[in-house]
């Protein structure tokens, strides 16, 4: 551009302030008034605004791709660091314990597949199916354990209270007894919990085997039923065909006579 | 509720590593973008970015909050970029591909974008990257901080340690050069 500019002030700063919308309203209004009469500044503001548009469109691939890989990702939750096999094992254990606690009862019979949980459902099913196997009629295994544990804890607590109430002279002895008693209780609790888990796993395996057996036998029964039905349908069809054939023969003979 | 930078900094200084991680997650992308646009090399930009946070972590106990945490971080990153360029003793080379592979482009295309548009976009990116790379470092830094990080003129002046008017002049000169390079001066198509 060869046009001269008579802007009174630092022109470069004014242009850049205008292009970036920087500066106060008075400065801006003053420069706008200048722009109206200055082709050179108008051209420059237009050109630099165009450059800014192009710069805004510049997004290098590596930046568009997202987080810089070298810096790593957000720290993972602790449980994600556990190996997959351990997670699967934990899930199976949880499933077994849950099934045991929920008193899961899966059944496939003439009424189709039914799943029941809870104490009442269990009692009803036992009453409704007296021919059920020993595993189904056996008492819930860990209920007895819990009762025994409760009894033990009550006994221990009574012992502890009695020890606490004993005279000061006997307190030291009582504390020793209590602490050894605590350790003993802890061992027994652990043993009971372990045993309970083992029983629950056995129970779950037994239930799954029963379900599979029930499904298989019901399937066999259904297949036999379908087979019989098909046989009956085929017999009926054969009889019908025979009757039709006889009717046709009768009509044919009658037509021959005429 | 999201913590402010200042809160995270305070907790980091007290030894809470998670808070510093949060700061890294919050600022790694802007710092990486600044480094990449300033030095133009992907791998080196990553190194600069990592080094920035490493230095920030080491210097954190001495950070007294005189400036904003982001400004402090930007200053560390810019110093590292400057050191890098000094070591290289050459103008930065942006890794712009020489040839355009249409198959690669097609794979990267947005569903609504035609190949022609995509080629035009890639071309523009290449031209802008080249033009930016040829700018003097001070002008390029001023443009990057203003255009892509939205800093005010005053913030840029404080960051790079020069008067406000110098920042404006650098921006004006840089944009004028880019205008000529990108064909906005009416002399080039």
């Amino acid at each position: 551009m060869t046009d001269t500019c008579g802007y009174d002030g630092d022109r470069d700063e004014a242009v850049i302030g205008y292009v970036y919308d920087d500066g106060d309203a008075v400065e801006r209004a003053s420069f706008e008034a200048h722009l109206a009469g200055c082709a050179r500044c108008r051209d420059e503001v237009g050109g630099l605004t165009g450059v800014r548009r192009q710069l805004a469109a510049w997004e290098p691939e590596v930046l568009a791709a997202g987080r810089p890989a070298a810096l790593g990702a957000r720290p993972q939750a602790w449980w994600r660091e556990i190996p997959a096999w351990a997670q699967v094992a934990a899930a199976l254990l949880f499933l077994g314990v849950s099934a045991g606690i929920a008193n899961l009862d899966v059944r496939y019979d003439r009424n189709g597949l039914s799943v029941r949980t809870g104490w009442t459902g269990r009692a009803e099913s036992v009453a409704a199916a007296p021919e059920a196997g020993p595993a189904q009629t056996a008492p819930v295994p860990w209920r007895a354990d819990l009762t025994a544990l409760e009894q033990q804890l009550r006994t221990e607590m009574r012992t502890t209270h009695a020890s606490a109430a004993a005279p000061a002279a006997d307190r030291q002895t009582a504390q020793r007894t209590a602490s050894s008693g605590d350790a003993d209780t802890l061992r027994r609790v652990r043993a009971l919990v372990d045993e309970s888990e083992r029983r629950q796993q056995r129970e779950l395996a037994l239930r799954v085997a029963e379900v599979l057996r029930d499904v298989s036998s019901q399937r066999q029964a259904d297949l036999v039923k379908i087979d019989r039905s098909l046989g009956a349908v085929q017999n009926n069809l054969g009889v019908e065909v025979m009757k039709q054939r006889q009717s046709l023969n009768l009509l044919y003979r009658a037509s021959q006579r005429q | 509720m999201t913590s402010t930078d200042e809160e995270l900094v305070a907790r980091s200084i007290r030894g809470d590593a998670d808070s510093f991680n949060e700061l890294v997650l919050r600022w790694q992308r802007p710092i990486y973008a600044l480094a990449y646009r300033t030095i133009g090399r992907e791998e080196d930009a990553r190194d600069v970015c990592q080094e920035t946070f490493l230095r920030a972590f080491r210097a954190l106990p001495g950070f007294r909050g005189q400036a904003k945490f982001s400004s402090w971080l930007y200053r560390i990153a810019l110093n590292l970029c400057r050191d890098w360029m000094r070591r290289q003793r050459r103008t930065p080379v942006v890794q712009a591909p020489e040839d355009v592979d249409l198959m690669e482009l097609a794979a990267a295309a947005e569903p609504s974008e035609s190949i022609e548009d995509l080629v035009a976009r890639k071309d523009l990116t290449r031209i802008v990257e080249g033009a930016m790379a040829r700018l003097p470092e001070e002008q390029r830094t001023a443009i990057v901080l203003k255009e892509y990080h939205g800093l005010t003129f005053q913030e840029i002046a404080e960051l790079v340690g020069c008067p406000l008017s110098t920042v404006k002049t650098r921006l004006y000169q840089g944009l004028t050069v880019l205008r000529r390079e990108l064909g906005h001066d009416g002399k080039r198509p």
Side-chain angles (χ1 to χ4, degrees):
Chain A
M1 283 287 149
T2 52
D3 301 334
T4 51
C5 171
Y7 183 70
D8 188 21
D10 191 326
R11 184 182 165 277
D12 297 353
E13 280 192 29
V15 167
I16 214 72
Y18 188 81
V19 166
Y20 282 103
D21 197 12
D22 186 76
D24 58 38
V26 178
E27 279 176 26
R28 192 169 177 81
S30 159
F31 191 71
E32 265 173 4
H34 168 74
L35 275 181
C38 179
R40 184 183 166 195
C41 285
R42 272 202 309 275
D43 175 67
E44 188 135 41
V45 165
L48 297 186
T49 307
V51 170
R52 286 200 66 204
R53 269 199 298 276
Q54 278 192 303
L55 287 175
W58 175 38
E59 173 137 38
E61 297 270 317
V62 291
L63 300 183
R67 187 196 306 281
L71 293 176
R74 178 183 280 275
Q76 289 190 325
W78 63 269
W79 51 269
R80 287 190 186 279
E81 291 165 9
I82 298 172
W85 63 266
Q87 289 185 39
V88 170
L92 282 175
L93 181 63
F94 176 76
L95 187 67
V97 172
S98 303
I101 289 170
N103 196 18
L104 186 67
D105 184 14
V106 184
R107 197 175 283 268
Y108 180 74
D109 53 20
R110 289 188 188 118
N111 300 323
L113 186 70
S114 62
V115 179
R116 271 190 297 221
T117 60
W119 311 114
T120 51
R122 178 74 187 159
E124 282 164 13
S125 83
V126 170
E131 73 281 4
Q136 284 173 311
T137 53
V140 181
W142 50 270
R143 188 179 284 174
D145 296 339
L146 273 183
T147 311
L149 180 62
E150 187 186 356
Q151 289 296 331
Q152 277 178 356
L153 286 173
R154 283 182 191 284
T155 311
E156 294 296 337
M157 282 176 74
R158 271 199 295 273
T159 311
T160 311
H161 282 305
S163 303
D170 297 330
R171 191 157 291 162
Q172 204 173 351
T173 318
Q175 278 173 351
R176 268 203 301 273
T177 312
S179 65
S180 68
D182 286 347
D184 192 39
T185 307
L186 201 62
R187 265 198 306 279
R188 272 179 286 174
V189 167
R190 276 188 190 143
L192 279 169
V193 169
D194 290 345
E195 180 60 25
S196 176
E197 279 180 5
R198 278 196 292 276
R199 280 182 193 167
Q200 283 162 8
Q201 282 173 344
R202 281 201 298 272
E203 178 80 2
L204 180 71
L206 203 62
R207 295 269 174 91
V208 170
E210 278 172 5
V211 167
L212 288 176
R213 195 188 61 209
D214 287 351
V215 168
S216 176
S217 59
Q218 189 65 40
R219 189 168 151 269
Q220 288 293 333
D222 289 345
L223 284 174
V224 169
K225 206 185 286 177
I226 290 166
D227 195 39
R228 276 184 199 151
S229 303
L230 278 175
V233 168
Q234 277 175 343
N235 282 343
N236 291 341
L237 196 65
V239 170
E240 284 298 315
V241 168
M242 188 79 79
K243 280 180 186 169
Q244 289 288 335
R245 196 170 289 162
Q246 283 172 352
S247 305
L248 281 172
N249 287 340
L250 202 66
L251 285 170
Y252 182 69
R253 267 187 241 116
S255 66
Q256 288 287 319
R257 272 186 223 129
Q258 287 173 354
Chain B
M1 206 177 79
T2 313
S3 303
T4 62
D5 283 353
E6 286 68 32
E7 288 166 348
L8 290 171
V9 166
R11 287 206 289 270
S12 302
I13 290 172
R14 289 198 296 270
D16 181 6
D18 284 345
S19 294
F20 190 75
N21 277 344
E22 192 61 40
L23 285 168
V24 173
L25 288 169
R26 191 175 288 181
W27 287 103
Q28 64 175 351
R29 197 171 154 72
I31 293 295
Y32 175 68
L34 173 69
Y36 180 77
R37 284 194 166 106
T38 306
I39 64 182
R41 288 174 183 263
E42 193 180 340
E43 289 302 318
D44 295 319
R46 277 203 190 120
D47 289 346
V48 164
C49 189
Q50 281 183 325
E51 185 64 22
T52 300
F53 285 106
L54 197 63
R55 287 200 183 183
F57 184 72
R58 285 182 189 144
L60 208 57
F63 178 70
R64 294 281 172 264
Q66 307 92 328
K68 281 201 299 186
F69 174 74
S70 56
S71 303
W72 185 62
L73 214 53
Y74 276 155
R75 188 172 297 129
I76 296 174
L78 283 175
N79 285 337
L80 285 167
C81 288
R82 216 168 281 156
D83 291 348
W84 182 89
M85 283 188 273
R86 212 168 288 146
R87 274 201 309 274
Q88 297 295 311
R89 290 186 180 182
R90 60 184 179 194
T91 52
V93 180
V94 175
Q95 291 168 321
E98 284 299 313
D99 302 312
V100 178
D101 184 344
L102 284 179
M103 292 302 284
E104 233 174 68
L105 284 182
E110 297 287 327
S112 58
E113 193 173 30
S114 69
I115 287 290
E116 289 81 5
D117 290 345
L118 188 67
V119 171
R121 184 161 63 86
K122 294 270 174 181
D123 258 358
L124 173 68
T125 294
R126 193 161 46 84
I127 292 166
V128 173
E129 278 185 352
M132 285 288 284
R134 285 189 289 275
L135 282 181
E137 183 215 320
E138 297 81 15
Q139 293 174 15
R140 186 171 56 249
T141 302
I143 290 175
V144 167
L145 290 172
K146 187 71 191 160
E147 288 290 338
Y148 303 105
H149 298 271
L151 270 59
T152 62
F153 293 130
Q154 187 59 45
E155 284 171 333
I156 298 172
E158 284 165 11
L159 255 181
V160 299
C162 70
L164 186 69
S165 57
T166 307
V167 172
K168 289 185 178 178
T169 303
R170 284 176 183 175
L171 269 165
Y172 176 79
Q173 289 170 345
L175 287 184
T176 304
V177 172
L178 287 179
R179 185 187 175 199
R180 199 167 52 242
E181 295 263 337
L182 300 174
H184 280 278
D185 58 352
K187 292 170 190 164
R188 283 175 56 167

